[in-house]
Amino acid sequence: MQGDNLFAPGLYQSLTSIVITGDLTLDGQGDENALFVFQSSSSVDAAAGATAPAPRTRILLINGAKASNVWWQAATSATLGLYAEWNGNILASANITMETGAVSCGRLFAGAAGGAGMREGA
């Protein structure tokens, strides 16, 4: 995988919503402590899909990346669409929705003040 679908450890920020479609791969580069942080000033969403083998949104972990070291911060809400396969912890200011067939490996925290510090005045 290449381009926008492959991420090395680090901090990634978006001034808009983060919307994931298809496969997104997180490469730990051989470091079992590799940390990934994705911050959105709005929402974090996984596009809806269908049952396998049909296309769906997946967060894939390779080369030592672990779900416990992946953080998704949403200043508003998060939605895991139909049949999404999610890895990582979600901190959302408002709510988190898991649609039919969605699965998650990680902790989901709704009501996190300001999406874990993503907004001023929270």
Side-chain angles (χ1 to χ4, degrees):
M1 307 212 88
Q2 298 182 32
D4 292 338
N5 296 328
L6 178 64
F7 289 84
L11 170 64
Y12 300 90
Q13 297 176 311
S14 173
L15 298 176
T16 61
S17 293
I18 295 174
V19 180
I20 301 167
T21 59
D23 290 348
L24 184 136
T25 304
L26 304 179
D27 184 350
Q29 300 179 335
D31 180 0
E32 66 180 30
N33 296 312
L35 183 63
F36 300 83
V37 178
F38 297 87
Q39 297 178 326
S40 169
S41 294
S42 184
S43 64
V44 172
D45 301 303
T51 58
R56 63 196 175 284
T57 297
R58 299 185 306 169
I59 306 298
L60 305 173
L61 306 175
I62 63 171
N63 297 326
K66 296 189 291 191
S68 59
N69 291 338
V70 179
W71 294 90
W72 302 89
Q73 299 176 337
T76 58
S77 62
T79 300
L80 304 185
L82 294 168
Y83 302 101
E85 296 177 17
W86 194 265
N87 277 296
N89 306 292
I90 298 175
L91 302 171
S93 178
N95 57 54
I96 300 170
T97 302
M98 289 183 70
E99 295 182 354
T100 301
V103 294
S104 175
C105 179
R107 294 168 285 178
L108 309 178
F109 299 101
M118 293 295 299
R119 292 186 298 182
E120 292 183 11

